[in-house]
C-alpha cells in the first residue's frame, strides 16, 4: 500500500554539617543531637518525619572514613537505612543509624516534608527558602519546639526557586477552591501566584477554575485528585528533585539504583527477551537460541496482499486484513480461523482491538470504518462520516470512545462514542496518516501526510493541541510505548525514530530497513518492550535493541514484495507475526501451513 502522495496543504502550527554535638542519655546510649539539643531516634525513612541530621555522625567515636569498595561509606549507609525503612524494617534501620552514626535526613528536611504533607504552606516555604536569619547554611535552630532553617535547604544547582514557589502556591490555591473559599483563592492567585510571572497560559488555566461551583468540579476540571488524594505527595516528590540530594535523598533511591543496574545489564544484552526480571545475584546475558527466530507457521488464507496485522491484548487471537477487503481472526493456539468479517468494498488498511478485546475496528480505503463484535462477528456500527480513505483508528484506554483518522480533506480526525455517534471533530488543515492514544490516557499523537506530528492533551475536556513538530520526510505509522513515554514512527527515508512524547526529543534512530514508497508499520516488541521491529520494502524483517539502537537481526521469510506490518504478541514474548505482499512459500520449522489456498503470506515467528 503506497504512502499518500505529496500535497500542498498547510502544515498547521509548529513547535518545536553542619556540625552537631552529642548528648548522652542516663542509660549511656548516645542520642543524636542538633546544635546542642538532643533528639530522639525515630524512623529514618523518607516517608516519616524524623529529626535526623544530614548524614552527620552521632557516635562518640567515629570509625575511620574508609570507602566501601570504592563507594562513599556515608552514602552507602544512608541508602541502606532508607532502604530498610522502605522494606518495612524500621527497627533494623534505627539500629543501623545508631551503630553507624548516620541519619537519612536533617530535622529541617523532616519538618519540610511534614509541612507539605500537612498543608502548612507558609511554614513549608520558610523551611525550603529560609527565614532570613543568620545561620550556617545547613544548620537548624529550635524555637518554641519547631525546627527552623534560617537560610533554607540547600537546593540543587539547576533549581528554579520561583517555579518551586509557584508549585507550592498552586497547590494552596487549588485546595482553597476545593474548600469553596473562593475569596482566599483569588487573593492567592493575585498576590502570590501572579507576581512570580509564571507562564501566562498556566495562570489563565488556574483563573478559569474560579467559577467552579463544587469541590468535585474543581478536581475534575483541574485533573487533580484533591488534598486528600495523592496531590501533596506528588508535590513533595516534584519539589524534592530540586533539593540537593545530599540533603534530601530522593525517595526509594536504593530501589531506583537497583533498577538502573538491571536496565544497564539489559541494555548490554542484545537478545534480552525473558518474561521475568533479571536476578540481582548474577550478571545477566540472554542466549540467541532463546530469541524468536524460527518460522512457526505460515497462513495463506486469501487472495492479495496483507496490509495490517494485530494481536488481541490477551494474546489469544490475531487479526489480519488486506487487499481482498476481508478481516480474518485466528486462534493463536490452533491457528484456526475463528471469524471472517466481510463487508468492506475496498482494502482493509488498519485494525485496532478495543481494550477488553470484545470489539475491533477496521479502517478501509472504501472511506468507511466498521466496529465489529469479535465474539459473534456481527457489525456493531459503521462510520461513513469520512470522504476519503480511513487510514487509522485508536481506542481510549477506558474503551468508551475511539478516534478515527482519514486522508479526507474535510473530516480528518473524529472522536466517536460506542454507539457510532460523533463526539468531536477536530478542525485541521492537514490529513491524518496515523494516530495513537497513550495507555495512560493523557496524550494522543497524530501523524499527517504533510510530515507533521501533533501531540494533543487527550485527558482535557477540549482535547486541545499541545505542540506539533515537522519531520524531514513522510511518516507511515505511529505507536506509543506501554509506559506512555515514547512514540515510534516510520519515516520514508529508511529510518525508524523513537521520540520522547513530552519533550519532542529524538531519543534514538534505527537504521537498516528500506522504506521509500509504501506504508510500513513497526512496533515495540519483547517482554519489556526493549526491542523495535519493523517490516521493509526489501522483503525482510528488522529487529533492533531499543536501548542502544543495535540492529540485532535481519530475518528472511517473505520472498518478494514488502513486509507491510509486524505485531508482537503482548502476552508471549517468544512470538511475533509479520504480514506482506508475497505469494511464495517459506520453510516451516515446526508446523505445516494452515492452508495453501492463495497468494498472500502471514508468518508467525517463534522461539
Amino acid at each position: 500500500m503506497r504512502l499518500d502522495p505529496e500535497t500542498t496543504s498547510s502544515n498547521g502550527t509548529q513547535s518545536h554539617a553542619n556540625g552537631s554535638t552529642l548528648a548522652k542519655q542516663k542509660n549511656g546510649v548516645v542520642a543524636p543531637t542538633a546544635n546542642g539539643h538532643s533528639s530522639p531516634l525515630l524512623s529514618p525513612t523518607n516517608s516519616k518525619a524524623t529529626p535526623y541530621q544530614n548524614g552527620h555522625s552521632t557516635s562518640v567515636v567515629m570509625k575511620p572514613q574508609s570507602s566501601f569498595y570504592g563507594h562513599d561509606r556515608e552514602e552507602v549507609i544512608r541508602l541502606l537505612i532508607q532502604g530498610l525503612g522502605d522494606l518495612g524494617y524500621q527497627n533494623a534501620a534505627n539500629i543501623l543509624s545508631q551503630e553507624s552514626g548516620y541519619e537519612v535526613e536533617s530535622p529541617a528536611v523532616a519538618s519540610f516534608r511534614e509541612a507539605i504533607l500537612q498543608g502548612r504552606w507558609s511554614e513549608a516555604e520558610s523551611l525550603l527558602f529560609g527565614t532570613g536569619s543568620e545561620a550556617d547554611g545547613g544548620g537548624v535552630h529550635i524555637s518554641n519546639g519547631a525546627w527552623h532553617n534560617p537560610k533554607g535547604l540547600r537546593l540543587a544547582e539547576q533549581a528554579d526557586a520561583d517555579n518551586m514557589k509557584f508549585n507550592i502556591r498552586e497547590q494552596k490555591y487549588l485546595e482553597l477552591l476545593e474548600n469553596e473559599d473562593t475569596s482566599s483563592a483569588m487573593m492567592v492567585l493575585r498576590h502570590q501566584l501572579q507576581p512570580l510571572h509564571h507562564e501566562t497560559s498556566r495562570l489563565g488555566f488556574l483563573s478559569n477554575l474560579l467559577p467552579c461551583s463544587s469541590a468535585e468540579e474543581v478536581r475534575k476540571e483541574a485533573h487533580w485528585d484533591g488534598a486528600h488524594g495523592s496531590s501533596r505527595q506528588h508535590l513533595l516528590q516534584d519539589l524534592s528533585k530540586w533539593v540537593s540530594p545530599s540533603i534530601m535523598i530522593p525517595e526509594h533511591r536504593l530501589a531506583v539504583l537497583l533498577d538502573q543496574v538491571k536496565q544497564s545489564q539489559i541494555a548490554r544484552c542484545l537478545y534480552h527477551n525473558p518474561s521475568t526480571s533479571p536476578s540481582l545475584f548474577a550478571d545477566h546475558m540472554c542466549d540467541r537460541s532463546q530469541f524468536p527466530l524460527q518460522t512457526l507457521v505460515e497462513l495463506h488464507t486469501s487472495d492479495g496482499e496483507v496490509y495490517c496485522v494485530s494481536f488481541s491484548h490477551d494474546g489469544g487471537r490475531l487479526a489480519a486484513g488486506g487487499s481482498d477487503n476481508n478481516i480474518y481472526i485466528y486462534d493463536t493456539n490452533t491457528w484456526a480461523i475463528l471469524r471472517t468479517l466481510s463487508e468492506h468494498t475496498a482494502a482493509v488498511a488498519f485494525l485496532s482491538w478495543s481494550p477488553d478485546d470484545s470489539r475491533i475496528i477496521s479502517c478501509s480505503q472504501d472511506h468507511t470504518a466498521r466496529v465489529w463484535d469479535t465474539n459473534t462477528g456481527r457489525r456493531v456500527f459503521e462510520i461513513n462520516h469520512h470522504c476519503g480513505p480511513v487510514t487509522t483508528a485508536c481506542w481510549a484506554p477506558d474503551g468508551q470512545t475511539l478516534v478515527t483518522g482519514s486522508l479526507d480533506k474535510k473530516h480528518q480526525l473524529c472522536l466517536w462514542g460506542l454507539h457510532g455517534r460523533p463526539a468531536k471533530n477536530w478542525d485541521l488543515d492537514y490529513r491524518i496518516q496515523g494516530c495513537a492514544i497513550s495507555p495512560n490516557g493523557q496524550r494522543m499523537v497524530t501523524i499527517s501526510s504533510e510530515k507533521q506530528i501533533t501531540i494533543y492533551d487527550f485527558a482535557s475536556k477540549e482535547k486541545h493541541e499541545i505542540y506539533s513538530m515537522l519531520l524531514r520526510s513522510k511518516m507511515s505509522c505511529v505507536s506509543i510505548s506501554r509506559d506512555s513515554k515514547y512514540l515510534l514512527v516510520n519515516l520514508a527515508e529508511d529510518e525508524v525514530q523513537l521520540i520522547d512524547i513530552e519533550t519532542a526529543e529524538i531519543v534514538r534512530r534505527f537504521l537498516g530497513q528500506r522504506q521509500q514508497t509504501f506504508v510500513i508499520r513497526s512496533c515495540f516488541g519483547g517482554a519489556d518492550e526493549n526491542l523495535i521491529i519493523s517490516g521493509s520494502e526489501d522483503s525482510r524483517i528488522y529487529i533492533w535493541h531499543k536501548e542502544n539502537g543495535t540492529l540485532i537481526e535481519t530475518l528472511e521469510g517473505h520472498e518478494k514484495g514488502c513486509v507491510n506490518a509486524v505485531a508482537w504478541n503482548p502476552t508471549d514474548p517468544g512470538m511475533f507475526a509479520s504480514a506482506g505482499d508475497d505469494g511464495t512459500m517459506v520453510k516451516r520449522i515446526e508446523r505445516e501451513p494452515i492452508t495453501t489456498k492463495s497468494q498472500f503470506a502471514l508468518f508467525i515467528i517463534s522461539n
Side-chain angles (χ1 to χ4, degrees):
M1 186 166 61
R2 290 183 180 273
L3 281 165
D4 184 60
E6 295 284 354
T7 71
T8 58
S9 300
S10 168
N11 290 331
T13 59
Q14 302 181 33
S15 59
H16 43 348
N18 61 90
S20 60
T21 60
L22 292 153
K24 198 166 187 179
Q25 297 176 352
K26 291 182 179 180
N27 60 5
V29 177
V30 176
T33 69
N35 297 332
H37 298 269
S38 66
S39 55
L41 190 62
L42 301 179
S43 169
T45 66
N46 274 0
S47 60
K48 304 289 185 181
T50 73
Y52 290 142
Q53 303 288 332
N54 286 323
H56 299 286
S57 172
T58 60
S59 299
V60 174
V61 180
M62 286 298 299
K63 296 179 180 179
Q65 293 298 306
S66 59
S67 65
F68 178 74
Y69 295 97
H71 301 284
D72 184 281
R73 189 180 192 85
E74 177 185 333
E75 290 187 357
V76 173
I77 292 174
R78 292 174 67 194
L79 287 172
L80 288 174
I81 296 171
Q82 185 197 51
L84 286 169
D86 288 345
L87 288 167
Y89 301 120
Q90 303 294 345
N91 289 338
N94 289 341
I95 291 170
L96 178 56
S97 178
Q98 183 177 8
E99 186 173 344
S100 67
Y102 295 114
E103 301 90 15
V104 171
E105 60 188 23
S106 73
V109 170
S111 296
F112 167 69
R113 183 186 304 280
E114 184 179 7
I116 291 292
L117 295 179
Q118 296 299 319
R120 302 195 297 267
W121 308 119
S122 297
E123 180 184 342
E125 285 199 35
S126 295
L127 288 163
L128 184 57
F129 301 110
T131 59
S133 302
E134 294 289 329
D136 185 350
V140 293
H141 288 278
I142 299 180
S143 176
N144 298 325
W147 289 97
H148 298 280
N149 198 4
K151 287 191 176 180
L153 301 180
R154 187 183 305 126
L155 303 182
E157 292 184 4
Q158 71 276 23
D160 184 336
D162 283 347
N163 188 58
M164 297 170 73
K165 290 178 183 177
F166 190 94
N167 290 343
I168 293 173
R169 295 171 186 180
E170 179 180 303
Q171 178 77 15
K172 177 182 179 180
Y173 170 78
L174 291 173
E175 291 192 15
L176 288 169
L177 287 180
E178 185 181 34
N179 292 330
E180 300 184 10
D181 188 351
T182 305
S183 59
S184 296
M186 189 176 299
M187 294 292 289
V188 170
L189 182 66
R190 291 177 177 176
H191 301 295
Q192 296 186 27
L193 286 168
Q194 289 181 353
L196 293 173
H197 304 292
H198 201 268
E199 56 182 294
T200 56
S201 60
R202 186 61 183 173
L203 287 170
F205 171 78
L206 294 175
S207 64
N208 288 336
L209 299 174
L210 285 169
C212 292
S213 59
S214 66
E216 182 180 0
E217 185 179 1
V218 171
R219 292 190 290 268
K220 180 180 179 181
E221 293 300 319
H223 311 294
W224 175 72
D225 64 359
H228 299 294
S230 58
S231 61
R232 290 180 179 176
Q233 186 66 44
H234 289 317
L235 173 62
L236 180 62
Q237 291 172 357
D238 289 339
L239 293 172
S240 67
K241 296 174 184 177
W242 306 113
V243 178
S244 173
S246 65
I247 301 298
M248 190 174 186
I249 301 175
E251 289 193 338
H252 316 303
R253 183 60 182 166
L254 183 59
V256 170
L257 291 174
L258 293 176
D259 186 63
Q260 290 175 359
V261 169
K262 287 187 177 183
Q263 292 305 315
S264 177
Q265 293 199 22
I266 290 172
R268 295 194 299 268
C269 177
L270 290 182
Y271 292 98
H272 180 78
N273 194 34
S275 56
T276 57
S277 178
S279 171
L280 290 168
F281 291 149
D283 292 340
H284 173 77
M285 188 61 66
C286 293
D287 189 83
R288 184 175 183 270
S289 63
Q290 301 171 318
F291 202 72
L293 300 173
Q294 297 179 324
T295 302
L296 172 64
V297 64
E298 301 170 33
L299 306 176
H300 299 258
T301 310
S302 173
D303 296 324
E305 303 167 343
V306 188
Y307 295 145
C308 51
V309 60
S310 179
F311 282 101
S312 59
H313 295 90
D314 64 8
R317 289 172 288 181
L318 177 73
S323 63
D324 75 338
N325 311 343
N326 296 328
I327 302 107
Y328 302 93
I329 299 179
Y330 300 89
D331 184 312
T332 58
N333 291 312
T334 64
W335 298 111
I337 296 177
L338 299 175
R339 300 288 174 193
T340 300
L341 311 177
S342 306
E343 287 189 13
H344 285 293
T345 59
V348 176
F350 191 81
L351 296 167
S352 179
W353 293 82
S354 65
D356 64 358
D357 294 330
S358 65
R359 298 182 180 187
I360 192 170
I361 184 169
S362 57
C363 304
S364 174
Q365 293 180 353
D366 65 7
H367 301 186
T368 71
R370 287 174 167 83
V371 175
W372 311 81
D373 185 312
T374 57
N375 296 313
T376 65
R378 179 181 61 87
R379 172 168 57 83
V380 180
F381 63 85
E382 175 182 325
I383 296 172
N384 53 18
H385 182 70
H386 299 286
C387 300
V390 184
T391 52
T392 184
C394 51
W395 294 82
D398 62 5
Q400 298 303 301
T401 56
L402 58 92
V403 175
T404 57
S406 172
L407 298 178
D408 186 351
K409 293 183 178 181
K410 184 178 181 181
H411 305 294
Q412 304 95 332
L413 192 65
C414 302
L415 178 71
W416 305 88
L418 290 183
H419 300 291
R421 300 187 185 94
K424 180 178 178 60
N425 185 51
W426 283 266
D427 184 17
L428 308 176
D429 55 1
Y430 47 85
R431 300 177 297 166
I432 300 299
Q433 181 66 45
C435 71
I437 297 173
S438 60
N440 64 10
Q442 297 298 308
R443 300 288 181 260
M444 181 174 70
V445 180
T446 65
I447 59 173
S448 75
S449 57
E450 289 80 19
K451 308 176 186 178
Q452 180 171 308
I453 296 177
T454 306
I455 312 296
Y456 296 87
D457 183 354
F458 191 76
S460 67
K461 182 177 181 180
E462 298 79 12
K463 305 191 186 307
H464 59 272
E465 176 183 329
I466 300 175
Y467 71 84
S468 63
M469 57 186 291
L470 288 176
L471 272 64
R472 64 176 181 265
S473 64
K474 284 190 172 185
M475 297 162 284
S476 62
C477 71
V478 60
S479 55
I480 298 178
S481 59
R482 283 199 301 257
D483 61 10
S484 301
K485 293 181 179 179
Y486 305 104
L487 61 93
L488 190 70
V489 294
N490 275 46
L491 277 69
E493 282 190 354
D494 304 334
E495 185 174 311
V496 182
Q497 288 187 1
L498 184 70
I499 300 174
D500 187 298
I501 292 179
E502 297 303 319
T503 67
E505 175 188 2
I506 298 175
V507 178
R508 202 154 288 113
R509 291 180 168 89
F510 306 95
L511 307 174
Q513 53 89 251
R514 288 183 52 193
Q515 181 175 2
Q516 295 287 334
T517 307
F518 299 99
V519 173
I520 304 292
R521 302 192 185 279
S522 62
C523 70
F524 295 91
D528 299 319
E529 288 196 336
N530 56 296
L531 303 172
I532 302 297
I533 181 171
S534 178
S536 176
E537 291 180 6
D538 62 3
S539 308
R540 295 181 175 91
I541 301 163
Y542 289 77
I543 304 176
W544 299 268
H545 196 290
K546 186 184 75 174
E547 297 304 321
N548 55 40
T550 302
L551 179 60
I552 301 172
E553 292 289 343
T554 303
L555 303 180
E556 306 286 345
H558 296 268
E559 293 189 357
K560 64 180 181 178
C562 291
V563 179
N564 299 310
V566 290
W568 209 289
N569 191 314
T571 61
D572 183 354
M575 178 188 295
F576 67 84
S578 63
D581 296 345
D582 57 311
T584 60
M585 300 296 290
V586 176
K587 183 179 180 181
R588 280 79 58 195
I589 303 300
E590 297 183 20
R591 299 184 187 178
E592 293 298 315
I594 299 300
T595 72
T596 56
K597 179 179 178 181
S598 73
Q599 297 184 355
F600 81 65
L602 172 65
F603 302 115
I604 312 301
I605 312 299
S606 177
N607 48 352

